[in-house]
Amino acid sequence: MTLLDFIEIAGSLLILAAFAAAQAGRLDLRSRTYLILNLAGSGVLAVIALDQRSWGFLLLEGTWAIVSALSLLRGSPAAKH
């Protein structure tokens, strides 16, 4: 495994940790923590997808990152916690 593989796995784990915590009722989907985990993970994966020219994956992860970032910037009431 390369360093890039480990970085990719770490990005995936950030997204999966947020998802699992939300499903377990430990994180609100609009909470700052949830959005930051998703932004960080999807941002890492989007950069890797761009580097690898994986356009479908870039579309998915890039959109995920943008939506997370906009939600953080918008500052929904739950994101203030």
Side-chain angles (χ1 to χ4, degrees):
M1 285 183 61
T2 67
L3 178 59
L4 186 60
D5 292 327
F6 285 108
I7 294 169
E8 186 174 22
I9 290 168
S12 297
L13 288 174
L14 290 172
I15 294 170
L16 291 170
F19 177 72
Q23 292 302 306
R26 300 190 71 147
L27 274 181
D28 185 288
L29 295 175
R30 295 167 297 168
S31 72
R32 182 175 292 157
T33 302
Y34 179 84
L35 294 170
I36 289 171
L37 288 170
N38 274 291
L39 176 58
S42 60
V44 165
L45 295 176
V47 169
I48 291 170
L50 177 62
D51 180 62
Q52 301 293 316
R53 293 184 172 95
S54 180
W55 308 121
F57 195 50
L58 176 60
L59 176 63
L60 173 68
E61 295 303 333
T63 301
W64 199 318
I66 290 167
V67 169
S68 296
L70 291 175
S71 296
L72 278 167
L73 290 174
R74 183 182 57 213
S76 66
K80 294 181 181 178
H81 300 282

